[in-house]
Amino acid sequence: MSNDCADRRLPRHVAIIMDGNGRWARARGWPRIAGHRAGIQPVRELVEASSELGIQALTLFAFSSENWRRPPEEVRLLWELIGDVIESELPALNESGVRLRIIGERRRLSFSVQNRLHHAEQLTAANGRLELRIALNYGGRWDIAEAARRLAERVAEGCLAAHEIDEDAVDAELALADVPSVDLMIRTGGENRISNFVLWQLAYAELYFTDTLWPSFTRAEYEQALAWFAGRQRRYGQTGDQLEAAG
Ligand code: FPP
C-alpha cells in the first residue's frame, strides 16, 4: 500500500462509527460497559496506525446526541470511561504528536469532563502529526444547524451579506472546518447507516461497512479497509473515462 497521501490512494481523513460494543459484551455474558472498556484497545491501535501510515485526520464517534436515550446507568458509566480514558491516554497521545480536539455540544457535559477535554486540547494544541477528533454529544444535524445559526448572527450584526453565504462559508463554520473532508468512513457492528454522524463532510466519502464488532476491530482489518479504499475510483461527478484520460 502506498504511504503517499498526495496520490490520494491513502485517505487524508478517516471517520469511524465504533459500533457493536454492547453485543460484543453480551456474547460473553458481560455487562455492556465491559464492551465499551474493551473498545479502548482498537482506538489505541488505530490512532497509532493512522499516525504511522501518514493519515492526516481521524475522527471517532464516541457519544452521539442520541446516546443520552440509553439507560441512565450506561450513560453514567460511559461518561466516566470517556473522562478516564482521555486523562489516562493523554501523555501517550501528546508524546506521539497527536493533536486532540473534541467536536460536539459541550454544555450538557459535567464540569469534570469539560475540564479534562479543555486540558487535553490545550496540551496537544501545537502537535501536528495526527489530527484526532473525538465526537462527544455530537450530531451531524446539530453541527449544520449551529453553523447556520452563527452565519445568521453575522448577517444580523451586519458583518456578512446573505448573498455571501455559499458552501465554503458553511464549511468554515462546521466543527471539522480545520481538517480535510472525510475520504473514508468506516462503520463496524453490521449496520449500514450514517446515524447522524458527520453529514456534510461525508458528501464524497467512500463508505466501508463491516460486521466486525468494534472491540474485535484490529489494525489488520483497518489496513484491509484502507486497501479497499485504495482500489476505489473517486469520480466527484465526472465519468470514469474522463478520469482515465486525465491520468
Ligand atoms: C457503540 O456500541 C459504542 C458507543 C456508543 C461508545 C463508544 C465508546 C468507546 C469505544 C469508548 C470511548 C472512546 C473514546 C475514543 C474516548 P453500542 O453500545 O451501540 O453496541 P451495540 O450496537 O452492540 O449495542
Side-chain angles (χ1 to χ4, degrees), residues 205-245:
E206 298 292 335
L207 309 178
Y208 180 93
F209 296 102
T210 169
D211 289 339
T212 304
L213 304 177
W214 176 250
S216 303
F217 194 76
T218 57
R219 175 172 179 153
E221 189 169 356
Y222 186 40
E223 293 195 4
Q224 216 173 297
L226 295 174
W228 172 83
F229 174 85
R232 306 291 305 159
Q233 188 188 51
R234 304 182 76 203
R235 296 209 289 261
Y236 298 101
Q238 290 186 289
T239 67
D241 290 347
Q242 279 178 299
L243 290 176
E244 271 159 37

Side-chain angles (χ1 to χ4, degrees), residues 18-23 32 36 39-40 62 67 70 78 134 214:
M18 309 179 288
D19 196 13
N21 294 350
R23 278 166 284 160
R32 293 176 55 83
H36 298 312
I40 304 302
N67 283 151
R70 291 185 172 215
L78 247 179
I134 299 185
W214 176 250

Side-chain angles (χ1 to χ4, degrees), residues 111-122:
F111 284 122
S112 152
V113 169
Q114 288 192 38
N115 287 339
R116 285 181 202 190
L117 301 180
H118 181 69
H119 172 63
E121 289 180 332
Q122 295 288 107

Side-chain angles (χ1 to χ4, degrees), residues 16 18 40-60 89 92-94 96-100 129-134 214 219 222:
I16 306 185
M18 309 179 288
I40 304 302
Q41 185 51 30
V43 170
R44 280 194 202 103
E45 274 184 43
L46 265 55
V47 168
E48 198 178 300
S50 304
S51 168
E52 277 174 25
L53 294 167
I55 287 166
Q56 282 178 43
L58 177 66
T59 297
L60 303 174
E89 299 294 323
L93 288 176
N94 191 36
S96 51
V98 171
R99 181 164 175 245
L100 174 65
R129 188 167 165 89
L130 173 72
E131 297 286 353
L132 177 62
R133 300 290 177 268
I134 299 185
W214 176 250
R219 175 172 179 153
Y222 186 40

